[in-house]
Amino acid sequence: MARNLSIPALATLAILLIAPHLDACRYTVRDVAFVELDDSPYRVFVIGEKSQRPDLAETVRQIAAEKLQDANVILEFVDTSAIAGHPVSDYLAEIKQFPAVLAVGPEQQSLVLAEGLPADPTESAEQLEKLCAAFVDSPARREMFEKLAAVHSVILVVDGTEATTNAATLEMVGQTIPQVEQSLEYLPKPIKEPPHMIHLSAEEALAERVLLWSLGIDTNPTGASQVAVLFGRGRKLGPVIRFPEDPRRRLIRSLAVVGQDCECGLDRRWMQGAMVPHLWEGADEKRAIENLGFDPGNPLVKAEIDRILTRGPGSDGERQAEWDDSLKIAPALSYQEIALEDPDTEPVADSGPQNQKAVASAVPVAVTEESVKVEQPTAEGGSRAAAEAEIVERPEAARPEAEVPSPGVSGKWSTLLLVGSALAVVVIGLLILLRGGEAAA
């Protein structure tokens, strides 16, 4: 009897060995970015005196019900005669003429959309409807949301006033995208298409005032070109990058985050960037499901993602740490950074010879400073590299084949090893039982 009981016991052991690893990498950082949890909405306030403009209150109600149901925006009428204690009272100093329309973002940034609405109810209703439509939709956002479900990310490049800087930034981004594309098949969950770039000239940026405001991009004339990375459901990924002031590694770091396993030790802030104001309709949801392989709106998925976000660094919502310090290693693009010499950041601790050798041999290099080197003009008229980071480069061709691991595949091999070990235990147990039975016979 004891020998017979050993078979189910061995099978149970095999299941216990295998089960914890079958669902190890179900979601990536990019997957999490499609899920809406407790995201703070944008709020658009129509501010006026209700006794004088009762039509505005009714117009607001209709637009909210008919036009903004599928938007991450709340439209609200605020009566100036009873505004005391209302959150919008903190922003009244920005308004010079009422009735007015004011937007407040998730990070409490404000934008005056209109002042002195027409006295005619029909005209004011038409203007308010146009303002709300422009707040959630624009040419750049239309292009963005057509691409986001399938691409790695969207890189938004906004020109500055310096033509040489604009050209250098476009060249840098253009060289970076193919490097990212080479790493897509090695990610824990492969992504179909590489990053998609949207380029806005200074003239085109004027029509994207709401989008740029929501991303924290300076809408005033500036010599620097500005770059923002977005992914998932229009989430901002990391800080806005300004060239040539900011080092190029900030862009590489942001792109490297996208494909990582969401269960890793990554700072949770990378997964919870604010969404841009947008409409998310049935067609968008369907496109996301087809590309992701799961429904980001499913309550069970939301519950699981919420569990993930409440654990790990940055889950308490603190934003004191610099973005540069929240990601020292970016395995998703198969490169590692050591001995960062930028004066704005602290060097990586313990960079002795043994530690550097271990870091250098951990993963092959897919994106290097040399591969995306772009020269930027200096004040003296010369040129200098935009980034000053030292990135370890070890060409795969120069290393023994056994020393070149496949990034993102190690988890699969470990699972196969565990499955094979468990099956071997079962087979050995059966052989022991069969031989015991023959000996007894």
Short mmCIF file of all heavy atoms in Angstrom, two decimals, residues 250-300:
data_model
loop_
_atom_site.label_atom_id
_atom_site.label_comp_id
_atom_site.label_asym_id
_atom_site.label_seq_id
_atom_site.Cartn_x
_atom_site.Cartn_y
_atom_site.Cartn_z
N ARG A 250 18.56 59.56 -20.54
CA ARG A 250 17.20 59.63 -19.97
C ARG A 250 16.18 59.07 -20.95
O ARG A 250 15.22 58.40 -20.55
CB ARG A 250 16.87 61.08 -19.63
CG ARG A 250 17.63 61.61 -18.43
CD ARG A 250 17.08 62.93 -17.95
NE ARG A 250 17.80 63.40 -16.78
CZ ARG A 250 17.54 64.53 -16.14
NH1 ARG A 250 16.56 65.31 -16.56
NH2 ARG A 250 18.24 64.88 -15.08
N LEU A 251 16.36 59.34 -22.23
CA LEU A 251 15.47 58.77 -23.23
C LEU A 251 15.63 57.25 -23.29
O LEU A 251 14.64 56.51 -23.32
CB LEU A 251 15.75 59.38 -24.60
CG LEU A 251 14.97 58.77 -25.78
CD1 LEU A 251 13.47 58.97 -25.59
CD2 LEU A 251 15.43 59.38 -27.10
N ILE A 252 16.87 56.78 -23.27
CA ILE A 252 17.12 55.34 -23.34
C ILE A 252 16.53 54.64 -22.13
O ILE A 252 15.93 53.56 -22.23
CB ILE A 252 18.63 55.06 -23.44
CG1 ILE A 252 19.18 55.69 -24.73
CG2 ILE A 252 18.92 53.57 -23.43
CD1 ILE A 252 20.69 55.58 -24.87
N ARG A 253 16.68 55.24 -20.96
CA ARG A 253 16.12 54.64 -19.74
C ARG A 253 14.60 54.52 -19.84
O ARG A 253 14.02 53.49 -19.49
CB ARG A 253 16.48 55.49 -18.53
CG ARG A 253 17.90 55.29 -18.04
CD ARG A 253 18.18 56.21 -16.88
NE ARG A 253 19.45 55.88 -16.24
CZ ARG A 253 19.95 56.56 -15.23
NH1 ARG A 253 19.31 57.60 -14.75
NH2 ARG A 253 21.09 56.20 -14.68
N SER A 254 13.95 55.57 -20.29
CA SER A 254 12.49 55.53 -20.39
C SER A 254 12.05 54.42 -21.33
O SER A 254 11.14 53.65 -21.03
CB SER A 254 11.96 56.88 -20.87
OG SER A 254 12.20 57.89 -19.91
N LEU A 255 12.70 54.32 -22.49
CA LEU A 255 12.33 53.28 -23.45
C LEU A 255 12.62 51.89 -22.90
O LEU A 255 11.89 50.94 -23.20
CB LEU A 255 13.10 53.50 -24.75
CG LEU A 255 12.76 54.78 -25.53
CD1 LEU A 255 13.72 54.98 -26.69
CD2 LEU A 255 11.32 54.74 -26.03
N ALA A 256 13.67 51.76 -22.09
CA ALA A 256 14.03 50.45 -21.55
C ALA A 256 13.00 49.93 -20.56
O ALA A 256 12.90 48.73 -20.34
CB ALA A 256 15.40 50.54 -20.88
N VAL A 257 12.24 50.81 -19.94
CA VAL A 257 11.28 50.40 -18.92
C VAL A 257 10.11 49.62 -19.51
O VAL A 257 9.58 48.70 -18.89
CB VAL A 257 10.75 51.65 -18.18
CG1 VAL A 257 9.52 51.33 -17.35
CG2 VAL A 257 11.84 52.24 -17.30
N VAL A 258 9.70 49.96 -20.73
CA VAL A 258 8.42 49.53 -21.28
C VAL A 258 8.21 48.02 -21.24
O VAL A 258 7.15 47.53 -20.86
CB VAL A 258 8.26 50.06 -22.72
CG1 VAL A 258 6.97 49.53 -23.35
CG2 VAL A 258 8.25 51.58 -22.72
N GLY A 259 9.21 47.25 -21.64
CA GLY A 259 9.01 45.81 -21.77
C GLY A 259 9.29 44.99 -20.54
O GLY A 259 9.20 43.77 -20.59
N GLN A 260 9.64 45.62 -19.42
CA GLN A 260 10.02 44.86 -18.24
C GLN A 260 8.83 44.14 -17.61
O GLN A 260 7.68 44.55 -17.75
CB GLN A 260 10.66 45.78 -17.20
CG GLN A 260 12.02 46.30 -17.62
CD GLN A 260 12.78 46.91 -16.46
OE1 GLN A 260 12.86 46.32 -15.39
NE2 GLN A 260 13.32 48.09 -16.67
N ASP A 261 9.16 43.07 -16.90
CA ASP A 261 8.15 42.32 -16.14
C ASP A 261 7.63 43.21 -15.01
O ASP A 261 8.41 43.81 -14.28
CB ASP A 261 8.80 41.06 -15.58
CG ASP A 261 7.87 40.27 -14.67
OD1 ASP A 261 6.66 40.55 -14.68
OD2 ASP A 261 8.37 39.40 -13.95
N CYS A 262 6.32 43.28 -14.86
CA CYS A 262 5.75 44.19 -13.86
C CYS A 262 5.99 43.71 -12.44
O CYS A 262 5.76 44.45 -11.48
CB CYS A 262 4.25 44.36 -14.09
SG CYS A 262 3.29 42.87 -13.80
N GLU A 263 6.46 42.46 -12.26
CA GLU A 263 6.73 41.96 -10.92
C GLU A 263 8.16 42.28 -10.48
O GLU A 263 8.59 41.89 -9.40
CB GLU A 263 6.55 40.43 -10.89
CG GLU A 263 5.11 39.98 -11.11
CD GLU A 263 4.27 40.09 -9.85
OE1 GLU A 263 4.76 40.66 -8.85
OE2 GLU A 263 3.13 39.61 -9.86
N CYS A 264 8.92 42.99 -11.32
CA CYS A 264 10.30 43.29 -10.98
C CYS A 264 10.38 44.37 -9.91
O CYS A 264 9.37 44.89 -9.45
CB CYS A 264 11.06 43.75 -12.24
SG CYS A 264 10.45 45.33 -12.87
N GLY A 265 11.61 44.72 -9.53
CA GLY A 265 11.79 45.72 -8.48
C GLY A 265 11.74 47.15 -8.98
O GLY A 265 12.21 48.06 -8.30
N LEU A 266 11.17 47.37 -10.15
CA LEU A 266 11.08 48.71 -10.73
C LEU A 266 10.20 49.63 -9.90
O LEU A 266 9.17 49.21 -9.37
CB LEU A 266 10.51 48.59 -12.15
CG LEU A 266 10.38 49.88 -12.95
CD1 LEU A 266 11.75 50.39 -13.36
CD2 LEU A 266 9.52 49.65 -14.19
N ASP A 267 10.60 50.88 -9.80
CA ASP A 267 9.80 51.89 -9.11
C ASP A 267 8.42 51.96 -9.76
O ASP A 267 8.29 52.12 -10.98
CB ASP A 267 10.50 53.25 -9.21
CG ASP A 267 9.90 54.30 -8.30
OD1 ASP A 267 8.67 54.44 -8.31
OD2 ASP A 267 10.66 55.00 -7.60
N ARG A 268 7.37 51.85 -8.95
CA ARG A 268 6.00 51.79 -9.48
C ARG A 268 5.57 53.07 -10.17
O ARG A 268 4.58 53.09 -10.92
CB ARG A 268 5.02 51.47 -8.35
CG ARG A 268 4.82 50.00 -7.95
CD ARG A 268 5.80 49.06 -8.48
NE ARG A 268 5.49 47.67 -8.13
CZ ARG A 268 6.30 46.67 -8.37
NH1 ARG A 268 7.47 46.90 -8.93
NH2 ARG A 268 5.97 45.44 -8.06
N ARG A 269 6.28 54.17 -9.94
CA ARG A 269 5.90 55.42 -10.59
C ARG A 269 6.01 55.33 -12.11
O ARG A 269 5.31 56.04 -12.83
CB ARG A 269 6.78 56.57 -10.08
CG ARG A 269 6.53 56.93 -8.63
CD ARG A 269 7.50 58.00 -8.19
NE ARG A 269 8.87 57.52 -8.27
CZ ARG A 269 9.93 58.33 -8.31
NH1 ARG A 269 9.76 59.63 -8.29
NH2 ARG A 269 11.14 57.83 -8.37
N TRP A 270 6.91 54.45 -12.59
CA TRP A 270 7.05 54.31 -14.04
C TRP A 270 5.77 53.74 -14.66
O TRP A 270 5.51 53.96 -15.85
CB TRP A 270 8.22 53.38 -14.35
CG TRP A 270 9.56 53.99 -14.10
CD1 TRP A 270 10.32 53.86 -12.97
CD2 TRP A 270 10.30 54.82 -14.98
NE1 TRP A 270 11.48 54.57 -13.11
CE2 TRP A 270 11.51 55.16 -14.34
CE3 TRP A 270 10.08 55.31 -16.27
CZ2 TRP A 270 12.48 55.97 -14.92
CZ3 TRP A 270 11.05 56.11 -16.85
CH2 TRP A 270 12.23 56.43 -16.19
N MET A 271 4.99 53.01 -13.89
CA MET A 271 3.76 52.39 -14.42
C MET A 271 2.54 53.27 -14.22
O MET A 271 1.48 52.96 -14.75
CB MET A 271 3.52 51.05 -13.73
CG MET A 271 4.69 50.10 -13.73
SD MET A 271 4.25 48.54 -12.91
CE MET A 271 5.87 47.93 -12.45
N GLN A 272 2.65 54.35 -13.45
CA GLN A 272 1.49 55.12 -13.05
C GLN A 272 1.54 56.57 -13.50
O GLN A 272 0.96 57.44 -12.86
CB GLN A 272 1.34 55.05 -11.52
CG GLN A 272 1.05 53.66 -11.01
CD GLN A 272 0.97 53.61 -9.49
OE1 GLN A 272 1.97 53.68 -8.79
NE2 GLN A 272 -0.24 53.48 -8.97
N GLY A 273 2.24 56.83 -14.58
CA GLY A 273 2.26 58.19 -15.11
C GLY A 273 0.86 58.63 -15.51
O GLY A 273 0.00 57.82 -15.87
N ALA A 274 0.62 59.93 -15.44
CA ALA A 274 -0.71 60.46 -15.77
C ALA A 274 -1.04 60.22 -17.24
O ALA A 274 -0.18 60.29 -18.12
CB ALA A 274 -0.76 61.95 -15.46
N MET A 275 -2.30 59.89 -17.50
CA MET A 275 -2.77 59.76 -18.88
C MET A 275 -3.04 61.15 -19.45
O MET A 275 -3.42 62.08 -18.72
CB MET A 275 -4.07 58.95 -18.93
CG MET A 275 -3.96 57.52 -18.47
SD MET A 275 -5.59 56.72 -18.55
CE MET A 275 -5.19 55.09 -17.96
N VAL A 276 -2.89 61.29 -20.75
CA VAL A 276 -3.29 62.53 -21.41
C VAL A 276 -4.81 62.54 -21.50
O VAL A 276 -5.45 61.47 -21.49
CB VAL A 276 -2.66 62.65 -22.81
CG1 VAL A 276 -1.15 62.66 -22.72
CG2 VAL A 276 -3.14 61.53 -23.73
N PRO A 277 -5.46 63.69 -21.57
CA PRO A 277 -6.91 63.70 -21.74
C PRO A 277 -7.29 63.08 -23.09
O PRO A 277 -6.72 63.42 -24.12
CB PRO A 277 -7.27 65.19 -21.67
CG PRO A 277 -6.00 65.93 -21.89
CD PRO A 277 -4.89 65.04 -21.44
N HIS A 278 -8.24 62.15 -23.06
CA HIS A 278 -8.56 61.43 -24.29
C HIS A 278 -9.93 60.75 -24.17
O HIS A 278 -10.48 60.61 -23.08
CB HIS A 278 -7.51 60.36 -24.56
CG HIS A 278 -7.50 59.25 -23.54
ND1 HIS A 278 -6.92 59.39 -22.30
CD2 HIS A 278 -8.03 57.99 -23.56
CE1 HIS A 278 -7.07 58.27 -21.61
NE2 HIS A 278 -7.74 57.40 -22.35
N LEU A 279 -10.43 60.31 -25.30
CA LEU A 279 -11.61 59.46 -25.37
C LEU A 279 -11.15 58.01 -25.48
O LEU A 279 -10.20 57.71 -26.22
CB LEU A 279 -12.47 59.82 -26.59
CG LEU A 279 -13.19 61.18 -26.56
CD1 LEU A 279 -13.76 61.49 -27.93
CD2 LEU A 279 -14.30 61.19 -25.52
N TRP A 280 -11.80 57.11 -24.77
CA TRP A 280 -11.49 55.68 -24.85
C TRP A 280 -12.79 54.95 -25.13
O TRP A 280 -13.54 54.62 -24.23
CB TRP A 280 -10.85 55.21 -23.55
CG TRP A 280 -10.34 53.79 -23.59
CD1 TRP A 280 -10.94 52.70 -23.04
CD2 TRP A 280 -9.13 53.32 -24.17
NE1 TRP A 280 -10.19 51.57 -23.25
CE2 TRP A 280 -9.05 51.93 -23.94
CE3 TRP A 280 -8.10 53.94 -24.88
CZ2 TRP A 280 -7.99 51.16 -24.40
CZ3 TRP A 280 -7.03 53.15 -25.33
CH2 TRP A 280 -6.99 51.79 -25.08
N GLU A 281 -13.04 54.71 -26.40
CA GLU A 281 -14.32 54.14 -26.82
C GLU A 281 -14.20 52.64 -27.06
O GLU A 281 -13.13 52.05 -26.89
CB GLU A 281 -14.80 54.87 -28.08
CG GLU A 281 -15.01 56.37 -27.85
CD GLU A 281 -15.30 57.13 -29.12
OE1 GLU A 281 -14.71 56.76 -30.17
OE2 GLU A 281 -16.10 58.08 -29.08
N GLY A 282 -15.31 52.05 -27.49
CA GLY A 282 -15.33 50.60 -27.69
C GLY A 282 -14.30 50.12 -28.69
O GLY A 282 -13.68 49.06 -28.51
N ALA A 283 -14.08 50.89 -29.76
CA ALA A 283 -13.09 50.49 -30.76
C ALA A 283 -11.68 50.48 -30.19
O ALA A 283 -10.87 49.60 -30.52
CB ALA A 283 -13.16 51.45 -31.96
N ASP A 284 -11.39 51.42 -29.30
CA ASP A 284 -10.07 51.46 -28.66
C ASP A 284 -9.89 50.26 -27.74
O ASP A 284 -8.82 49.64 -27.71
CB ASP A 284 -9.92 52.76 -27.85
CG ASP A 284 -10.06 53.99 -28.71
OD1 ASP A 284 -9.22 54.19 -29.59
OD2 ASP A 284 -11.02 54.75 -28.50
N GLU A 285 -10.92 49.92 -27.00
CA GLU A 285 -10.87 48.78 -26.09
C GLU A 285 -10.67 47.48 -26.88
O GLU A 285 -9.86 46.62 -26.50
CB GLU A 285 -12.15 48.70 -25.27
CG GLU A 285 -12.15 47.65 -24.18
CD GLU A 285 -11.42 48.10 -22.93
OE1 GLU A 285 -11.10 49.30 -22.82
OE2 GLU A 285 -11.15 47.25 -22.07
N LYS A 286 -11.39 47.35 -27.97
CA LYS A 286 -11.27 46.14 -28.80
C LYS A 286 -9.87 46.00 -29.37
O LYS A 286 -9.29 44.90 -29.38
CB LYS A 286 -12.31 46.20 -29.93
CG LYS A 286 -12.30 44.97 -30.83
CD LYS A 286 -13.36 45.08 -31.92
CE LYS A 286 -13.32 43.85 -32.83
NZ LYS A 286 -14.33 43.97 -33.92
N ARG A 287 -9.32 47.11 -29.85
CA ARG A 287 -7.97 47.08 -30.42
C ARG A 287 -6.94 46.69 -29.35
O ARG A 287 -6.01 45.93 -29.62
CB ARG A 287 -7.65 48.45 -31.01
CG ARG A 287 -6.38 48.50 -31.81
CD ARG A 287 -6.34 49.68 -32.78
NE ARG A 287 -6.67 50.93 -32.12
CZ ARG A 287 -7.67 51.72 -32.48
NH1 ARG A 287 -8.45 51.38 -33.49
NH2 ARG A 287 -7.90 52.86 -31.85
N ALA A 288 -7.13 47.19 -28.14
CA ALA A 288 -6.21 46.85 -27.05
C ALA A 288 -6.29 45.37 -26.71
O ALA A 288 -5.27 44.71 -26.50
CB ALA A 288 -6.53 47.70 -25.83
N ILE A 289 -7.50 44.82 -26.64
CA ILE A 289 -7.67 43.40 -26.31
C ILE A 289 -7.00 42.51 -27.35
O ILE A 289 -6.32 41.54 -27.02
CB ILE A 289 -9.17 43.05 -26.19
CG1 ILE A 289 -9.79 43.78 -24.99
CG2 ILE A 289 -9.38 41.55 -26.07
CD1 ILE A 289 -11.30 43.65 -24.91
N GLU A 290 -7.17 42.85 -28.63
CA GLU A 290 -6.58 42.05 -29.70
C GLU A 290 -5.06 42.04 -29.64
O GLU A 290 -4.42 41.03 -29.93
CB GLU A 290 -7.05 42.59 -31.06
CG GLU A 290 -8.54 42.37 -31.33
CD GLU A 290 -9.00 43.06 -32.60
OE1 GLU A 290 -8.20 43.84 -33.18
OE2 GLU A 290 -10.16 42.83 -33.03
N ASN A 291 -4.47 43.16 -29.27
CA ASN A 291 -3.02 43.26 -29.25
C ASN A 291 -2.39 42.77 -27.95
O ASN A 291 -1.28 42.25 -27.96
CB ASN A 291 -2.59 44.71 -29.51
CG ASN A 291 -2.70 45.12 -30.96
OD1 ASN A 291 -1.80 44.89 -31.76
ND2 ASN A 291 -3.83 45.71 -31.32
N LEU A 292 -3.11 42.92 -26.84
CA LEU A 292 -2.55 42.54 -25.54
C LEU A 292 -2.80 41.09 -25.18
O LEU A 292 -2.03 40.48 -24.43
CB LEU A 292 -3.13 43.44 -24.44
CG LEU A 292 -2.83 44.94 -24.54
CD1 LEU A 292 -3.60 45.70 -23.47
CD2 LEU A 292 -1.35 45.20 -24.42
N GLY A 293 -3.90 40.54 -25.67
CA GLY A 293 -4.25 39.18 -25.30
C GLY A 293 -5.02 39.09 -24.01
O GLY A 293 -5.25 38.00 -23.48
N PHE A 294 -5.44 40.21 -23.46
CA PHE A 294 -6.30 40.24 -22.28
C PHE A 294 -7.10 41.53 -22.30
O PHE A 294 -6.79 42.47 -23.06
CB PHE A 294 -5.48 40.14 -20.98
CG PHE A 294 -4.62 41.35 -20.69
CD1 PHE A 294 -5.10 42.41 -19.94
CD2 PHE A 294 -3.33 41.42 -21.20
CE1 PHE A 294 -4.31 43.53 -19.69
CE2 PHE A 294 -2.53 42.53 -20.94
CZ PHE A 294 -3.04 43.58 -20.18
N ASP A 295 -8.16 41.58 -21.49
CA ASP A 295 -9.03 42.75 -21.44
C ASP A 295 -8.58 43.66 -20.30
O ASP A 295 -8.75 43.32 -19.13
CB ASP A 295 -10.48 42.30 -21.22
CG ASP A 295 -11.45 43.48 -21.19
OD1 ASP A 295 -11.01 44.63 -21.38
OD2 ASP A 295 -12.66 43.24 -20.97
N PRO A 296 -8.01 44.84 -20.60
CA PRO A 296 -7.54 45.74 -19.54
C PRO A 296 -8.68 46.31 -18.70
O PRO A 296 -8.42 46.87 -17.62
CB PRO A 296 -6.80 46.84 -20.30
CG PRO A 296 -7.38 46.82 -21.67
CD PRO A 296 -7.73 45.39 -21.94
N GLY A 297 -9.92 46.17 -19.17
CA GLY A 297 -11.05 46.67 -18.40
C GLY A 297 -11.72 45.61 -17.54
O GLY A 297 -12.66 45.91 -16.80
N ASN A 298 -11.21 44.37 -17.59
CA ASN A 298 -11.80 43.29 -16.80
C ASN A 298 -11.54 43.53 -15.31
O ASN A 298 -10.40 43.79 -14.91
CB ASN A 298 -11.17 41.96 -17.23
CG ASN A 298 -11.83 40.76 -16.59
OD1 ASN A 298 -11.84 40.65 -15.37
ND2 ASN A 298 -12.36 39.87 -17.41
N PRO A 299 -12.57 43.42 -14.46
CA PRO A 299 -12.39 43.66 -13.02
C PRO A 299 -11.34 42.76 -12.38
O PRO A 299 -10.62 43.18 -11.47
CB PRO A 299 -13.78 43.39 -12.44
CG PRO A 299 -14.72 43.63 -13.57
CD PRO A 299 -13.99 43.19 -14.80
N LEU A 300 -11.23 41.50 -12.84
CA LEU A 300 -10.24 40.59 -12.29
C LEU A 300 -8.82 41.04 -12.65
O LEU A 300 -7.90 40.95 -11.83
CB LEU A 300 -10.49 39.17 -12.79
CG LEU A 300 -11.80 38.52 -12.33
CD1 LEU A 300 -11.94 37.13 -12.95
CD2 LEU A 300 -11.85 38.44 -10.80
#
